[in-house]
Amino acid sequence: MADTKREIERKFEFTTSKAARRGIPDLTGTAAIAAVADQGTVDLDAVYYDTPDQRLAADGLTLRRRTGGADAGWHLKLPVSPGVRDEVGAPLDDTVPRVLAALVRSRVRDVSLEPQVRLLSSRRVSHLLDADGALLAELSTDAVRAERDEASASWTEVEVELADGVDPALLDAVEKKFRKAGLRVSDAPSKLARALTETGNEPPRRPDPAPADDTAGAHVLAYLREQRDSLVAHDPAVRRDLPDSVHQMRVACRRMRSAFKSHRKVLDRAATDPLGEELRWLGAELGLDRDQEVLFDRIQTGIADLPRTLVLGPVRGRLRVWNNTRRSGTRRRALAALDGKRYAALLDALDALLADPPLLPAAADPAAKVLPKAVLKDYERLATRVAAALEREPGEARDLALHSARKAAKRARYAAEAAVPALGKPAKRLAKAVKSVQSQLGDHQDSVVARQALHGLGVQATGAGESAFTWGVLYAREEALAERNERELPRIWESAADPELRSALGV
């Protein structure tokens, strides 16, 4: 079993040898620090693992096996934001623990993880305490020696890591004190990054996310790289069951699929269509879990909004059992997909396409000429589907037509958002307008799905001898919400269909 903790820390280094000789200034009286308690010195021995081409280091991840100290074991550090990382730990073993190997699989694929560098540290630890003796942060001074093959490097590093729940402003106060004493924030984001640089093995730089030029091909490829990176980056979060992670990973799948369809004059569909189908498969596998999560939250909120007098029988208990049963199955299926060969092959295929893109002649044309046409084509597709849906009488046929329009709205929105770097505010305004249509249609579809689930829950309750009254009330509420959404849709669509939004694109 892996344990996770959130690290909020700041690393410092001495600016001069004179400052190093003076050492760490006394932090007593800095912000809320009332005392500094010496915890002694510990020797640490850490071996860092990565692929031979340093895929983890390139993305700012570190995987190590460390002995010595209170937290000896395997540690995987995942970047969250500058100065903030999640550390996932596992017990000591001779090989990389399976739970950690799974969290880096989207980056490593089938390449082996091997020892890359060894760090030997003599760490002096102090606790920074408030007036009540509570721990605010841990102050560490590390004398580090890095060894990689025949090369080695040594340096001293100072680190301040906040205790749980402590205001990060404390780090700013410590940094101000340190600056006066000749310490500055370290340029290296981690010990490993510095070790690789100082032993002559700096990890490969990530490519610039901006388009290489103003051609249509460059802009489309930059957008696709962004979505590929999002897919890879959210994989560990999905495995850890973090909030919204499935949704974000699924969105990356949708955006790439939409880009392949919207830009068939830029990228050869003979290469992109098969990838689009694989992305559809992955999105569907992930979607089962996400859809259940959304559905449960919607029904749970509906129950919470009801007056007590309308909640009859063990409604909440039945909902929890129903959700747990369905969610356990959907989550297992999502994880099985991420662990399978098909998913790894998809990631490899996306990398191959981006490395050697199947560009068509239009890819060399200016983005300002090609992208507006793709956006407007997707808009016209949406307009046709909205008109067809509004012409139908209320009922199942209209529900299906509105769902089809919703999918077209997503594609039109994604196309407009992808064009923002090239077209600027006009594309951004159109994307915002289409998003409002998508949201309206999405809420309607959520109501359709919720009614189906509520009907099933009512049948289950009746079969168990419970009152089905509350499920019927919720069903009626969802029906009323759907009717209201349908009444409001023409007004929202009229705003999104304003011709000025499209003419501003310059076509």
Side-chain angles (χ1 to χ4, degrees):
M1 181 63 68
D3 298 318
T4 302
K5 67 176 182 177
R6 175 67 52 90
E7 287 186 343
I8 303 177
E9 62 186 18
R10 202 164 294 176
K11 298 179 183 295
F12 302 87
E13 58 187 55
F14 292 101
T15 56
T16 65
S17 57
K18 183 178 179 181
R21 287 194 298 271
R22 284 198 303 263
I24 304 297
D26 184 6
L27 293 174
T28 304
T30 302
I33 301 171
V36 179
D38 186 12
Q39 302 297 307
T41 301
V42 62
D43 292 326
L44 307 174
D45 186 346
V47 177
Y48 286 77
Y49 284 67
D50 204 337
T51 60
D53 56 355
Q54 299 182 18
R55 297 183 185 185
L56 300 185
D59 279 355
L61 282 71
T62 62
L63 174 63
R64 73 185 179 204
R65 182 186 187 276
R66 189 168 79 181
T67 57
D71 64 344
W74 284 88
H75 308 117
L76 172 65
K77 297 195 177 187
L78 302 158
V80 176
S81 60
V84 182
R85 296 187 294 180
D86 279 348
E87 181 181 281
V88 186
L92 275 176
D93 200 344
D94 291 336
T95 58
V96 179
R98 291 179 62 183
V99 65
L100 301 187
L103 293 178
V104 299
R105 186 167 185 256
S106 63
R107 292 173 169 90
V108 173
R109 319 285 166 77
D110 294 328
V111 181
S112 62
L113 289 163
E114 302 171 0
Q116 300 296 322
V117 65
R118 183 184 186 189
L119 295 185
L120 301 168
S121 303
S122 178
R123 168 171 291 182
R124 182 173 181 179
V125 179
S126 297
H127 285 175
L128 308 182
L129 309 174
D130 67 10
D132 296 324
L135 180 65
L136 294 172
E138 184 173 276
L139 169 65
S140 303
T141 304
D142 292 344
V144 185
R145 176 179 172 81
E147 299 176 350
R148 179 181 170 92
D149 298 328
E150 301 302 318
S152 65
S154 299
W155 68 90
T156 298
E157 179 178 285
V158 179
E159 177 182 297
V160 180
E161 180 180 341
L162 296 181
D164 292 343
V166 175
D167 188 344
L170 178 68
L171 292 175
D172 296 329
V174 170
E175 180 181 338
K176 184 177 180 181
K177 180 83 171 184
F178 277 0
R179 279 202 306 268
K180 294 179 180 179
L183 289 99
R184 64 178 177 85
V185 175
S186 176
D187 292 331
S190 66
K191 286 185 179 67
L192 174 63
R194 182 165 182 173
L196 292 172
T197 298
E198 298 209 6
T199 57
N201 290 278
E202 189 171 358
R205 293 184 180 274
R206 297 291 296 166
D208 189 333
D213 51 48
D214 285 330
T215 62
H219 278 266
V220 171
L221 290 174
Y223 180 76
L224 288 171
R225 279 195 296 270
E226 179 185 351
Q227 303 313 316
R228 185 275 315 274
D229 291 348
S230 178
L231 181 68
V232 169
H234 282 100
D235 175 297
V238 170
R239 295 176 187 272
R240 295 167 60 202
D241 203 18
L242 297 185
D244 203 42
S245 57
V246 171
H247 172 62
Q248 293 301 325
M249 195 171 180
R250 194 180 180 196
V251 165
C253 291
R254 287 202 198 106
R255 287 181 181 275
M256 279 188 282
R257 284 181 53 220
S258 292
F260 289 154
K261 293 177 180 178
S262 298
H263 300 294
R264 287 175 172 171
K265 292 189 176 182
V266 174
L267 294 169
D268 187 351
R269 60 181 299 181
T272 60
D273 280 0
L275 278 178
E277 286 304 310
E278 290 302 283
L279 287 165
R280 181 197 297 274
W281 160 78
L282 179 59
E285 296 299 298
L286 296 170
L288 294 170
D289 195 52
R290 168 64 180 170
D291 291 345
Q292 179 61 28
E293 179 185 9
V294 171
L295 181 57
F296 172 72
D297 288 345
R298 186 180 183 100
I299 297 175
Q300 190 176 48
T301 300
I303 295 172
D305 290 343
L306 289 178
R308 287 185 179 182
T309 54
L310 298 184
V311 181
L312 305 182
V315 174
R316 291 182 177 85
R318 175 160 294 282
L319 179 64
R320 282 195 301 271
V321 171
W322 171 82
N323 180 66
N324 291 341
T325 301
R326 293 166 63 97
R327 185 87 197 277
S328 63
T330 58
R331 176 154 177 77
R332 282 197 302 271
R333 185 164 173 176
L335 293 178
L338 297 185
D339 287 335
K341 293 182 179 180
R342 186 174 180 179
Y343 170 60
L346 168 59
L347 294 179
D348 287 342
L350 289 171
D351 287 351
L353 179 133
L354 291 170
D356 185 18
L359 297 175
L360 297 175
D365 293 337
K369 173 185 176 182
V370 176
L371 300 191
K373 294 178 181 178
V375 172
L376 292 179
K377 184 176 181 181
D378 283 338
Y379 167 83
E380 293 298 338
R381 180 171 173 268
L382 168 62
T384 299
R385 294 195 181 186
V386 169
L390 293 177
E391 288 175 357
R392 294 185 178 275
E393 293 296 322
E396 184 178 356
R398 174 181 268 196
D399 290 344
L400 291 172
L402 289 171
H403 183 43
S404 178
R406 178 197 184 190
K407 291 187 283 188
K410 286 182 181 179
R411 179 164 155 184
R413 171 194 163 192
Y414 294 158
E417 288 176 344
V420 168
L423 307 181
K425 290 183 178 179
K428 190 174 184 179
R429 285 194 290 268
L430 180 60
K432 183 178 179 181
V434 173
K435 183 179 179 180
S436 66
V437 177
Q438 176 195 329
S439 297
Q440 189 75 5
L441 293 169
D443 195 46
H444 181 275
Q445 177 62 17
D446 288 347
S447 177
V448 171
V449 174
R451 275 179 278 158
Q452 295 170 348
L454 290 166
H455 180 271
L457 284 162
V459 170
Q460 290 178 16
T462 300
E466 302 164 5
S467 172
F469 174 80
T470 301
W471 305 116
V473 171
L474 292 171
Y475 186 100
R477 283 197 167 193
E478 288 290 356
E479 202 168 40
L481 284 171
E483 290 173 358
R484 187 181 69 187
N485 281 335
E486 291 181 35
R487 289 195 304 270
E488 292 177 350
L489 178 59
R491 174 183 59 80
I492 295 173
W493 171 244
E494 183 180 3
S495 177
D498 184 347
E500 291 188 6
L501 288 172
R502 304 191 299 283
S503 62
L505 296 177
V507 177

